[in-house]
């Protein structure tokens, strides 16, 4: 037992030294059943595959999601993260959920990824056909600190609601599908790229439908945050949901802080774009990605100078 504890202590100390060494970066994602986690894994895999060229190592970690990632970057506990563009917008400006402290002006964009759809799924027997009908129901509102919860709050505020208007449950994304099929909740809500494993699971395992998110309250939310855009979840993507479903969404965005060196930012983005076809094959949500769209903007937070250097050198952006 004593030897085992000594070994564990040595491993932990070694990991701490390694993690704090130059060239080792941690990438914050989200829950393991979402798209952020495999996206972060894909980025880190490509960075690590080319580490002999630049000496950088990247490790992906599962986190509480967007708001937690942004706050961890502000606190210097994460170097890289994937976040929703709507909350990146507020963090950079010090508004809404981030009005308790100065704006995080050090945030920098590396590139945008795929659109995230504000996805609402209800059991068919709950009789819900519109977003307004979720009032008074058992709803998974997400964990505190998640982009899921914050985006839901932004939408319902424009309806004059609060979380008190639901029988609210604070579930992790990984718990939602099972809870819906068991009848523990009537509605699961998840801003996510499609196709999504969690959405596929719930529509496969129980009779459920995707609910449209439309109306004047959406228009009000779009005025408050220009990152929101009209999106449509394609029909036939999920079992039992043959029609397109209108909703709103934002962009998943790969971000860092201005403290990341220009060389590190350059080599991280270069690792992805010089192996782009391999990257696209790593998840179905990446299949429609185009390099030019990922670096064009407009961005919620400015491009990191190191990323900009690569995009100009490669011709993805035209030099001024």
């Amino acid at each position: 037992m004593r030897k085992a504890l000594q070994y564990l202590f040595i491993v932990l100390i070694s990991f701490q030294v390694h993690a704090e060494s130059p060239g080792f970066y941690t990438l914050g994602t989200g829950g393991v059943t979402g798209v952020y986690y495999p996206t972060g894994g894909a980025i880190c895999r490509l960075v690590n595959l080319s580490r002999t060229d630049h000496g950088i190592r990247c490790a992906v970690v599962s986190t509480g999601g967007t708001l937690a990632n942004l706050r961890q970057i502000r606190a210097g506990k994460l170097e890289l993260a994937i976040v929703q563009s709507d909350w990146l917008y507020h963090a950079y400006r010090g508004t809404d959920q981030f009005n308790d402290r100065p704006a995080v002006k050090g945030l920098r964009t590396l590139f945008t990824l795929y659109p995230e759809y504000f996805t609402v799924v209800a059991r068919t027997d709950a009789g819900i056909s519109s977003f307004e009908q979720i009032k008074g129901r058992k709803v998974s509102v997400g964990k505190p600190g998640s982009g899921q919860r914050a985006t839901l709050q932004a939408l319902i505020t424009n309806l004059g609601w609060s979380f008190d208007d639901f029988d609210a449950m604070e579930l992790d994304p990984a718990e939602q599908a099972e809870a819906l099929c068991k009848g523990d909740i009537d509605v699961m809500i998840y801003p996510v790229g499609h196709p999504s494993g969690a959405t596929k699971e719930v529509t496969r395992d129980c009779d459920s439908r995707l609910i449209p998110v439309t109306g004047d309250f959406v228009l009000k939310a779009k005025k408050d945050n220009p990152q929101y855009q009209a999106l449509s979840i394609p029909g036939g993507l999920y079992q039992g949901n043959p029609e397109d479903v209108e909703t709103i969404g934002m962009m998943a965005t790969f971000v860092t802080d201005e403290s990341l060196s220009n060389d590190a930012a350059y080599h991280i983005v270069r690792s992805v774009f010089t192996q782009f076809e391999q990257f696209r094959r790593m998840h179905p949500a990446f299949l429609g990605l185009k390099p030019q769209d990922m670096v064009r903007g407009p961005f919620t937070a400015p491009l990191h100078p190191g990323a900009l250097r690569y995009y100009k050198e490669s011709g993805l952006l035209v030099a001024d």
Side-chain angles (χ1 to χ4, degrees):
M1 181 67 178
R2 184 176 178 182
K3 288 184 177 180
L5 289 173
Q6 289 175 334
Y7 175 76
L8 177 61
F9 177 76
I10 291 170
V11 169
L12 290 173
I13 291 297
S14 299
F15 176 80
Q16 183 179 8
V17 171
H18 180 59
E20 292 176 352
S21 64
F24 185 92
Y25 303 105
T26 304
L27 196 166
T29 57
V32 295
T33 61
V35 184
Y36 279 14
Y37 188 76
T39 299
I43 292 170
C44 280
R45 176 171 172 75
L46 296 178
V47 170
N48 293 336
L49 280 174
S50 53
R51 66 181 178 272
T52 54
D53 297 334
H54 47 61
I56 295 171
R57 291 187 65 89
C58 176
V60 62
V61 292
S62 175
T63 69
T66 290
L67 268 67
N69 289 345
L70 289 166
R71 287 172 175 144
Q72 291 288 301
I73 285 181
R74 177 170 62 185
K77 296 180 179 179
L78 282 176
E79 294 82 26
L80 307 165
I82 301 169
V83 301
Q84 294 175 204
S85 61
D86 53 341
W87 296 109
L88 177 59
Y89 174 88
H90 285 302
Y92 184 71
R93 288 158 179 78
T95 54
D96 203 284
Q97 299 274 340
F98 293 88
N99 63 5
D100 58 329
R101 294 186 183 183
V104 195
K105 289 296 186 181
L107 285 165
R108 295 292 180 266
T109 302
L110 293 171
F111 50 79
T112 59
L113 287 151
Y114 49 84
E116 295 192 87
Y117 302 72
F118 188 75
T119 306
V120 181
V121 184
R123 279 195 337 277
T124 302
D125 62 13
I128 296 170
S129 58
S130 70
F131 184 80
E132 289 91 332
Q133 291 175 333
I134 72 173
K135 187 175 183 180
R137 303 303 186 95
K138 293 181 289 185
V139 179
S140 172
V141 300
K143 291 287 189 181
S146 67
Q148 169 189 352
R149 185 186 183 101
T151 303
L152 174 60
Q153 183 172 355
L155 286 176
I156 66 174
T157 297
N158 287 298
L159 283 165
W161 301 353
S162 71
F163 286 139
D164 292 336
D165 289 301
F166 305 125
D167 183 358
M169 296 188 67
E170 297 178 343
L171 300 179
D172 285 323
E175 301 172 314
Q176 293 190 122
E178 182 180 0
L180 189 82
C181 290
K182 288 172 61 178
D184 294 337
I185 57 174
D186 300 315
V187 181
M188 61 178 270
I189 294 174
Y190 200 10
V192 68
H194 289 291
S196 149
T199 311
K200 182 178 181 180
E201 177 186 351
V202 73
T203 52
R204 179 197 65 211
D205 292 351
C206 60
D207 194 9
S208 54
R209 66 173 64 175
L210 277 67
I211 306 301
V213 182
T214 57
D216 290 343
F217 71 97
V218 173
L219 298 177
K220 292 177 182 176
K222 289 171 71 175
K223 287 181 180 179
D224 292 339
N225 193 317
Q227 292 300 308
Y228 292 136
Q229 55 187 287
L231 296 173
S232 182
I233 303 172
L237 196 58
Y238 300 107
Q239 183 174 317
N241 290 267
E243 305 295 331
D244 291 356
V245 177
E246 292 182 51
T247 186
I248 64 165
M250 64 295 296
M251 295 300 295
T253 307
F254 184 36
V255 299
T256 187
D257 181 80
E258 62 184 355
S259 62
L260 184 73
S261 74
N262 288 351
D263 282 348
Y266 174 89
H267 286 295
I268 288 169
V269 300
R270 186 178 186 278
S271 296
V272 174
F273 287 97
T274 57
Q275 304 176 88
F276 193 75
E277 286 308 309
Q278 184 175 349
F279 178 68
R280 279 180 9 109
R281 294 193 296 269
M282 287 179 166
H283 194 280
F286 306 161
L287 291 176
L289 294 181
K290 297 178 181 179
Q292 294 84 352
D293 294 340
M294 296 166 67
V295 307
R296 182 180 298 150
F299 298 112
T300 306
L303 267 178
H304 192 290
L308 181 61
R309 171 186 150 203
Y310 173 75
Y311 300 143
K312 288 183 176 180
E313 283 185 7
S314 65
L316 286 172
L317 287 177
V318 178
D320 295 332

